[in-house]
């Protein structure tokens, strides 16, 4: 799929939860994109957490892989628990496409360390307000997440991208 063609999967995806059929399709896309088939970024394999969510304390989608749960949920700032996110779920098919098309001029690639000191690679599709985050975990890259970027984050990412591009480091591409 081409970057310019990326659209939501469903017009009628409910904000509270996907239907059984929709969840089946969303999870199937995830499995096809990251479990049944390999994806590479700059020669490194992109891996996912294949552990299964055992109960609601671990995630929203019991019986599904943890990376999938993370891709279609977001942390509630009040409860600290993850909750289903319609926009993330509706764009799950964007993640692999953005990784594979990372050299396209529409994708802004930059790196930054997270709070735990891990080096993260950010692939920001600014025009569509979407970002994919990969973490270096030698010898592979771990798919951390992909999500819609709100207006406040757009400004922050714009600043971080500019600072990264202006920095003279060995990490800069």
């Amino acid at each position: 799929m081409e970057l310019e063609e990326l659209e939501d999967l469903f017009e009628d995806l409910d904000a509270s939860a996907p239907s059984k059929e929709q969840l089946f399709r969303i999870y199937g896309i995830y499995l096809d994109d990251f479990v049944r088939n390999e994806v590479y970024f700059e020669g490194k394999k992109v891996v996912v957490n294949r552990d299964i969510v055992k109960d609601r304390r671990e995630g929203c989608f019991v019986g599904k892989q943890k990376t999938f749960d993370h891709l279609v949920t977001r942390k509630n700032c009040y409860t600290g628990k993850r909750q289903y996110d319609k926009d993330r779920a509706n764009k799950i098919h964007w993640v692999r496409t953005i990784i594979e098309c990372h050299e396209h001029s529409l994708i802004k690639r930059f790196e930054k360390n997270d709070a735990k000191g891990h080096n993260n690679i950010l692939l920001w599709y600014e025009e569509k307000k979407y970002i994919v985050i990969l973490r270096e975990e030698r010898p592979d890259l771990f798919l951390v997440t992909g999500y819609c970027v709100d207006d406040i984050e757009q400004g922050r990412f714009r600043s971080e991208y500019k600072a990264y591009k202006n920095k003279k480091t060995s990490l800069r591409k």
Side-chain angles (χ1 to χ4, degrees):
M1 180 173 281
E2 297 293 324
L3 282 173
E4 297 88 351
E5 297 171 1
L6 290 176
E7 297 293 335
D8 287 350
L9 272 179
F10 305 101
E11 290 181 18
D12 62 341
L13 190 60
D14 194 291
S16 61
S19 69
K20 271 187 187 179
E21 294 79 18
Q22 289 169 331
L23 180 58
F24 182 80
R25 182 164 178 211
I26 294 165
Y27 194 56
I29 289 168
Y30 164 79
L31 292 174
D32 284 344
D33 285 356
F34 299 104
V35 178
R36 295 183 189 115
N37 298 291
E38 294 179 344
V39 63
Y40 288 85
F41 176 82
E42 297 179 347
K44 294 181 180 180
K45 184 177 177 182
V46 176
V47 298
V48 296
N49 184 345
R50 295 178 183 222
D51 292 346
I52 302 297
V53 175
K54 293 183 179 84
D55 59 44
R56 293 284 294 162
R57 289 174 292 174
E58 290 186 350
C60 288
F61 292 97
V62 176
K64 306 289 187 247
Q65 290 188 4
K66 288 187 176 180
T67 294
F68 170 78
D69 192 82
H70 198 83
L71 284 169
V72 299
T73 64
R74 67 185 293 166
K75 187 175 181 178
N76 182 305
C77 60
Y78 300 109
T79 67
K81 294 184 179 185
R82 297 197 70 81
Q83 62 188 43
Y84 166 72
D85 185 307
K86 171 188 166 186
D87 291 328
R88 284 183 177 212
N90 224 359
K91 292 171 177 55
I92 195 158
H93 60 297
W94 292 24
V95 179
R96 183 180 181 118
T97 301
I98 289 171
I99 292 169
E100 290 180 335
C101 297
H102 71 276
E103 292 180 340
H104 193 288
S105 63
L106 290 171
I107 303 299
K108 293 183 172 159
R109 178 205 190 278
F110 59 108
E111 298 179 26
K112 74 180 229 182
N113 289 332
D114 64 17
K116 294 181 181 179
H118 300 114
N119 187 53
N120 289 334
I121 299 166
L122 294 86
L123 305 173
W124 180 33
Y125 191 172
E126 183 178 14
E127 184 179 304
K128 295 273 190 171
K129 296 184 175 185
Y130 194 83
I131 196 158
V132 173
I133 302 174
L134 304 171
R135 177 179 300 139
E136 288 187 347
E137 289 192 1
R138 302 201 194 288
D140 303 316
L141 294 170
F142 177 71
L143 173 57
V144 177
T145 196
Y147 64 91
C148 302
V149 178
D150 66 25
D151 291 337
I152 293 170
E153 288 176 310
Q154 282 278 101
R156 181 173 55 93
F157 286 141
R158 205 170 282 119
S159 296
E160 290 173 355
Y161 176 76
K162 185 177 178 182
Y164 176 79
K165 288 313 247 184
N166 290 331
K167 206 176 198 182
K168 304 269 190 252
T169 72
S170 61
L171 294 175
R172 201 183 97 198
K173 297 266 181 197

